[in-house]
Amino acid sequence: MEAKRQDLNVFGMTCAACSTRVEKSLNKTTGVERANVNLVTESAAVYYDPEQISPEELIGVVKHAGYDAAEKMSKEEKDAVLEKQFKREVHRFILSAILALPLLLTMVTHIPYLHHTAFAMQIDALINPTIQLILATVIQFYIGWRFYDGAYKALRGKSANMDVLVALGTSAAYFYSLAEYIRQLMNPGIEAHYYFETSAILITLILLGKLLESYATSKTTQSIAGLLKLQSKEAVVLREGKEWKVPVDELSIGDVILVKPGEKVPIDAVVLSGETSIDESMISGEPVPVEKKAGDTVIGSTVNFDGAFEAKVTKRMDETVLSTIIQLVEEAQGVKAPIQRLADRISGIFVPIVLAISAVTFVIWMIVTGGVLDQSLQVAIAVLVIACPCALGLATPTAIMAGTGRGAESGILFKGGEHLERTAKVDTVIFDKTGTLTEGKLQVTNVLDVHEDFARFVVTMEEQSEHPIAKAVLAHFDGQKMSATQAERIRAKAGHGMTGVLDGSKVSLGSYRFIAKEVTIPKEADDAMQEWMKAGQTIVSMSIDGTFAGAFGLLDTPRLEAKEAISRLRELGVKTAIASGDQRVVVENIAAELGIDEVYAEQLPNDKSDLVADLQKQGHVVAFVGDGINDAPALATADTGISIGTGTDIAIETGDVTLVGHQLTLVPQTIQLSRATMRNIRQNFFWALAYNCAGIPIAALGLLAPWVAGLAMAGSSVSVVTNALRLKRVKLK
């Protein structure tokens, strides 16, 4: 039996180890063929045998792994759940920050030569150990309980993640401080050392990082809803000679529909009668409307310009081009697994080793001291404190926050740390053409004027049209005064052009083929227009009283900074390519002008996403840069989808990185910043672990008091944060 797909919403996952654990649990279950779990979208796509296992049992497997699950909810239902979770996390962070602020002040009392000053003594008086204990306890066990819960699930699954590190480090600091508090209560004369602020501040900072990441990644799930809004809701169907308005979902293959000028094409169909031009930029990305006549196919949700036509429905609603795009985006997002955090991999080795060293140290000191528990315990705790993963926990989020902050200042918006990490490995960048590498609008590039009334009549005719070509022609004459023209009987000839009577002359304006059928074009003029067409230009020509009067050549021109952006990518060792729905000659000309390595022309949305997938199979890490709805599948499939901020909301939400504005030089800057951030993270790991590796043996020998270990631990955190802040000054070019 063919495997059935069941989509689940999974809640409670906090890191890549969580999604991996859920995925392993499902894949080990009898009856499950395969399962893909996505941390970002909090979803699971499970292919299973319905004769062996039911959806309810699949949900039970996820719950047994320690997470909540439900059958796929509607967007509204899921948004309500996520909004409730997000608000709860915001409230917890605010409470944690308020409670941690007084504890932050106590850090001055740990600094040598300052802890006996009047300021330090005032802090001691105002924030005494009992107050510290109360504040830290609330943060540790109410706000920070999620880390204990996550650590328990990880250890139960025989793995160690960041939750284990956080729980271990904060617990070492908290419980040592608690022991010191009890010891001082029993013997008020002794000097106790408290580290309540260490655990409280670490938990607060990690909560902030999680909060920012949750907010950014939640935006990626909105793209599907945006695509759905594009679909037509109603259609005019012809039955028994009458027009009936029906919901699009009720259309069947073979139904005949009527589409009038200005309306959306409701569903994929083939034209039976009538001629028109249709704006297919939603699919192809190209600004020039496409002429349609009997026998041509039309695509659902595209816009009909200037002629009514009848068409026969050829596809069901779930098979249309737009529905296919929606499915591609869903599937591409569903199989995108976030990169396993380096910190989680380190923790899988580091945490067990530290625990073992601490335990061995305790046993050895018990033997050496003849069973002196107090001294043995202090040495063992010193090992844990010096090994506290505060710096390791800060290594990634501080660098990512600094890197993304620097990016935001430059107009580069990353949707999460995993996207920044993945972008650093990009070796191939594919650009969409129209609206990305080019201006996205036609411009008059050549003019052939052989009649004294040509320009005047062109303006008069084009003023009657809303066509994109008309707007480009009028923009060409903007500011020039044209003498008044008496215009009569101006009519749009669907799919071809316009006709009319101007100052008593019969005038036709339209495509090369339209005018060539009406008049004989002089050889010199015809040769010129043929050259324009070879260069990929759109031709608009005119005849006056049966005589050729002139022509325009229009082209979508490259952006001024496009060539510079391609050059900088080459300097970074990145290969470039262009993918476009336009004809090959146009795409090749643009590529040659800009110095782009590879050309892929006449690409539909699914072709672009297939192209990305093919390059990935060859071992390339691919970034796709686009701005249109037609780019959404490729943006979602790419290792890094880079969307232009001036593009459509769908492209922006589907992409992993959004460029504010439309400066293409931001593309190489994005890769440069990502690489700098990843270098910074590796440096942070070095400094974080260097303190631990140097301090652990010293502490194990009993040469490091717990408060000194705490100071060294704080020093490692300071070095990590200071190093991360260097990213704020990195120069992008």
Side-chain angles (χ1 to χ4, degrees):
M1 177 179 288
E2 185 178 350
K4 187 176 180 181
R5 173 171 171 160
Q6 176 65 52
D7 291 310
L8 302 175
N9 290 121
V10 182
F11 301 102
M13 298 186 295
T14 59
C15 67
C18 298
S19 57
T20 300
R21 187 157 55 252
V22 175
E23 191 168 282
K24 285 182 178 179
S25 297
L26 287 167
N27 282 321
K28 288 192 299 184
T29 303
T30 302
V32 174
E33 182 178 298
R34 70 182 186 278
N36 293 318
V37 179
N38 190 296
L39 174 64
V40 176
T41 57
E42 294 188 293
S43 63
V46 187
Y47 297 86
Y48 70 103
D49 182 351
E51 292 185 356
Q52 296 188 56
I53 191 169
S54 66
E56 291 75 18
E57 289 173 312
L58 293 174
I59 292 174
V61 171
V62 177
K63 289 186 175 181
H64 181 72
Y67 304 90
D68 291 327
E71 291 190 37
K72 189 175 182 180
M73 304 175 180
S74 67
K75 184 180 183 301
E76 292 74 17
E77 292 173 330
K78 186 177 180 183
D79 283 348
V81 172
L82 293 176
E83 184 178 0
K84 185 177 179 180
Q85 288 182 344
F86 186 75
K87 285 182 178 179
R88 184 167 63 245
E89 293 303 317
V90 169
H91 293 155
R92 287 190 176 183
F93 165 71
I94 292 173
L95 176 60
S96 184
I98 292 172
L99 296 176
L101 184 59
L103 293 171
L104 182 63
L105 295 175
T106 65
M107 293 188 74
V108 73
T109 64
H110 292 185
I111 302 174
Y113 309 111
L114 290 181
H115 63 281
H116 289 308
T117 63
F119 178 64
M121 289 174 22
Q122 286 178 343
I123 292 176
D124 273 337
L126 292 173
I127 311 172
N128 60 55
T130 301
I131 293 176
Q132 291 183 45
L133 174 62
I134 294 171
L135 296 175
T137 300
V138 175
I139 294 174
Q140 189 76 28
F141 298 108
Y142 172 65
I143 298 171
W145 181 253
R146 58 181 293 176
F147 299 114
Y148 285 107
D149 186 49
Y152 167 72
K153 291 173 182 175
L155 294 173
R156 187 179 65 182
K158 298 180 181 179
S159 65
N161 61 1
M162 186 61 75
D163 287 334
V164 174
L165 290 170
V166 174
L168 173 66
T170 57
S171 295
Y174 175 84
F175 285 110
Y176 176 77
S177 300
L178 178 62
E180 287 287 276
Y181 178 80
I182 295 172
R183 191 164 69 93
Q184 192 175 49
L185 281 181
M186 298 175 64
N187 189 356
I190 65 170
E191 182 179 0
H193 301 283
Y194 299 108
Y195 304 102
F196 288 120
E197 78 287 346
T198 300
S199 60
I201 293 169
L202 179 60
I203 288 173
T204 304
L205 288 175
I206 292 175
L207 284 179
L208 175 60
K210 292 281 187 183
L211 203 60
L212 293 174
E213 189 171 358
S214 295
Y215 177 77
T217 56
S218 67
K219 295 298 181 182
T220 62
T221 61
Q222 297 178 6
S223 58
I224 303 300
L227 288 171
L228 290 169
K229 288 180 182 178
L230 294 173
Q231 293 180 326
S232 300
K233 300 295 186 293
E234 293 182 324
V236 175
V237 63
L238 300 176
R239 291 172 181 167
E240 299 178 354
K242 295 183 179 180
E243 298 179 9
W244 301 87
K245 187 169 284 189
V246 300
V248 175
D249 291 338
E250 295 182 9
L251 290 175
S252 301
I253 294 176
D255 281 344
V256 177
I257 56 175
L258 174 65
V259 184
K260 299 176 182 178
E263 293 181 344
K264 278 187 177 182
V265 179
I267 197 167
D268 291 9
V270 61
V271 178
L272 296 176
S273 63
E275 293 184 346
T276 188
S277 58
I278 290 182
D279 178 6
E280 293 187 346
S281 59
M282 178 196 80
I283 300 298
S284 68
E286 301 307 316
V288 181
V290 181
E291 297 177 6
K292 299 290 183 180
K293 61 183 182 303
D296 292 338
T297 58
V298 290
I299 300 172
S301 301
T302 56
V303 179
N304 179 31
F305 262 125
D306 47 21
F309 65 91
E310 295 179 9
K312 183 172 69 174
V313 176
T314 56
K315 293 182 180 178
R316 296 195 307 269
M317 196 63 188
D318 60 351
E319 297 174 336
T320 63
V321 173
L322 183 59
S323 295
T324 302
I325 291 176
I326 293 172
Q327 183 180 357
L328 285 169
V329 174
E330 285 181 327
E331 290 181 355
Q333 289 185 341
V335 299
K336 260 189 177 178
I339 296 174
Q340 176 73 28
R341 298 284 188 188
L342 183 56
D344 283 338
R345 293 198 292 269
I346 292 174
S347 69
I349 302 171
F350 182 69
V351 174
I353 290 176
V354 169
L355 289 171
I357 292 174
S358 180
V360 170
T361 299
F362 176 77
V363 172
I364 291 175
W365 274 87
M366 284 291 286
I367 296 172
V368 170
T369 60
V372 179
L373 177 63
D374 182 62
Q375 188 173 1
S376 302
L377 188 60
Q378 281 201 38
V379 174
I381 290 176
V383 171
L384 283 177
V385 172
I386 192 65
C388 174
C390 296
L392 189 59
L394 292 171
T396 297
T398 51
I400 286 176
M401 290 177 70
T404 52
R406 177 68 180 89
E409 292 173 1
S410 302
I412 303 168
L413 304 180
F414 292 93
K415 291 188 176 179
E418 68 273 16
H419 306 308
L420 189 149
E421 183 177 357
R422 194 180 296 117
T423 303
K425 301 175 183 177
V426 166
D427 59 26
T428 303
V429 174
I430 303 175
F431 289 90
D432 169 53
K433 180 180 77 69
T434 305
T436 302
L437 285 173
T438 66
E439 295 291 346
K441 58 183 179 181
L442 294 170
Q443 294 181 351
V444 174
T445 53
N446 289 290
V447 180
L448 186 62
D449 186 345
V450 298
H451 193 288
E452 61 180 359
D453 291 324
F454 172 67
R456 187 163 59 92
F457 284 0
V458 164
V459 171
T460 303
M461 296 282 277
E462 297 290 28
E463 283 178 340
Q464 311 301 314
S465 175
E466 291 297 321
H467 200 286
I469 290 178
K471 294 179 181 179
V473 172
L474 292 174
H476 178 72
F477 287 103
D478 188 34
Q480 299 183 34
K481 292 184 178 180
M482 296 290 174
S483 58
T485 299
Q486 183 180 357
E488 301 175 6
R489 300 195 301 276
I490 293 181
R491 300 284 186 272
K493 195 165 181 62
H496 297 293
M498 304 172 71
T499 60
V501 178
L502 308 182
D503 287 350
S505 297
K506 184 179 178 182
V507 180
S508 295
L509 177 72
S511 66
Y512 170 84
R513 285 184 297 170
F514 176 46
I515 300 302
K517 287 180 181 179
E518 289 196 349
V519 301
T520 300
I521 300 175
K523 184 177 185 307
E524 185 178 343
D526 191 66
D527 289 344
M529 286 190 286
Q530 292 295 336
E531 289 299 317
W532 297 352
M533 284 188 280
K534 286 180 182 178
Q537 297 184 37
T538 298
I539 308 299
V540 178
S541 51
M542 174 178 277
S543 68
I544 301 176
D545 290 329
T547 303
F548 178 75
F552 286 98
L554 300 97
L555 194 64
D556 186 11
T557 56
R559 293 185 174 274
L560 294 176
E561 78 283 1
K563 191 170 185 177
E564 181 184 356
I566 300 300
S567 176
R568 290 182 183 178
L569 284 170
R570 187 178 291 110
E571 291 174 2
L572 291 171
V574 176
K575 182 180 178 182
T576 56
I578 181 172
S580 172
D582 209 346
Q583 54 185 313
R584 176 163 290 277
V585 63
V586 178
V587 184
E588 287 179 341
N589 286 337
I590 292 288
E593 182 177 348
L594 299 179
I596 292 175
D597 300 316
E598 299 288 342
V599 173
Y600 302 94
E602 301 171 10
Q603 299 278 302
L604 293 175
N606 57 319
D607 295 328
K608 292 180 181 180
S609 60
D610 289 344
L611 168 63
V612 171
D614 288 343
L615 289 172
Q616 288 171 329
K617 289 177 183 177
Q618 296 172 26
H620 294 287
V621 180
V622 182
F624 188 93
V625 185
D627 73 329
I629 295 167
N630 57 302
D631 299 323
L635 287 167
T637 304
D639 296 286
T640 298
I642 302 177
S643 56
I644 304 298
T646 52
T648 66
D649 290 340
I650 308 306
I652 292 170
E653 291 171 1
T654 306
D656 305 313
V657 182
T658 297
L659 306 183
V660 179
H662 200 141
Q663 286 297 313
L664 287 175
T665 49
L666 291 176
V667 176
Q669 289 181 13
T670 299
I671 296 175
Q672 183 187 355
L673 178 60
S674 298
R675 292 179 178 178
T677 303
M678 292 313 299
R679 283 196 302 271
N680 192 279
I681 290 174
R682 287 191 288 270
Q683 293 165 358
N684 284 348
F685 282 134
F686 170 78
W687 288 112
L689 293 173
Y691 279 94
N692 296 138
C693 293
I696 287 174
I698 297 174
L701 292 172
L703 302 176
L704 201 63
W707 74 269
V708 177
L711 189 61
M713 178 186 62
S716 66
S717 297
V718 170
S719 68
V720 164
V721 173
T722 302
N723 187 53
L725 290 176
R726 292 192 305 110
L727 288 169
K728 302 290 286 184
R729 300 190 299 273
V730 72
K731 292 183 179 180
L732 301 177
K733 62 178 183 177

